[in-house]
Amino acid sequence: RIDRVIENASRMLGTKYLWGGNTSEGVDCSGLIHTSFAAEGIGLPRDSNQQIYLGSLTATRWYRDGLRRGDTLYFLGKHGKVSHTAIYVGDGRYLEAVRPVVRYTSFNPEDEDYNEVRDASFCFAKRLME
């Protein structure tokens, strides 16, 4: 079932970033997570600052070995609060909605889609489905 959630998210690749967006016309980070799970009948809160309370902790910024496909990732913003979310797809890569479009990003500095700022702001991951 988590593979279908990831497939739903992957269909949004290249979709324009739109703050508050929740459709293929435009989507923001928490909208991407919300719609990807909703398409499988899994209801989540709309915003990342609400989504953080669901699921079980699988990884932290210091321990990432517990990450598994489908885990939701949470990142800290400038003021030390969660301000971004993404979905882990495996092999150090995740799918996120950022300006200008939904794209893959990597935790691996050797990958071309690595983002140092995002890597440094990673806070924790949660597993919403076992």
Side-chain angles (χ1 to χ4, degrees):
R1 194 169 179 199
I2 201 63
D3 287 330
R4 290 193 306 266
V5 170
I6 292 170
E7 186 178 312
N8 296 334
S10 297
R11 284 191 205 114
M12 301 290 272
L13 270 171
T15 299
K16 176 180 79 169
Y17 177 88
L18 176 65
W19 186 81
N22 217 22
T23 71
S24 60
E25 298 296 313
V27 67
D28 67 8
C29 63
S30 53
L32 175 67
I33 302 304
H34 182 262
T35 57
S36 299
F37 280 86
E40 291 305 312
I42 302 163
L44 302 179
R46 168 62 181 85
D47 297 322
S48 61
N49 65 347
Q50 299 165 323
Q51 293 169 359
I52 62 173
Y53 296 107
L54 304 176
S56 56
L57 186 67
T58 60
T60 67
R61 64 187 324 151
W62 303 281
Y63 176 79
R64 299 181 187 187
D65 292 346
L67 284 172
R68 192 168 75 195
R69 284 174 51 82
D71 287 353
T72 51
L73 310 176
Y74 298 95
F75 301 82
L76 296 176
K78 294 177 185 173
H79 301 291
K81 295 179 181 178
V82 169
S83 64
H84 185 63
T85 186
I87 188 165
Y88 189 69
V89 298
D91 297 324
R93 299 179 76 219
Y94 52 96
L95 192 58
E96 64 177 341
V98 291
R99 285 184 172 85
V101 297
V102 175
R103 68 175 185 211
Y104 287 109
T105 307
S106 177
F107 285 127
N108 183 350
E110 305 299 317
D111 290 346
E112 66 179 320
D113 53 2
Y114 174 72
N115 182 303
E116 184 177 5
V117 172
R118 189 72 74 216
D119 188 23
S121 69
F122 174 68
C123 186
F124 60 87
K126 294 291 217 51
R127 185 158 304 137
L128 304 181
M129 298 171 52
E130 287 300 325

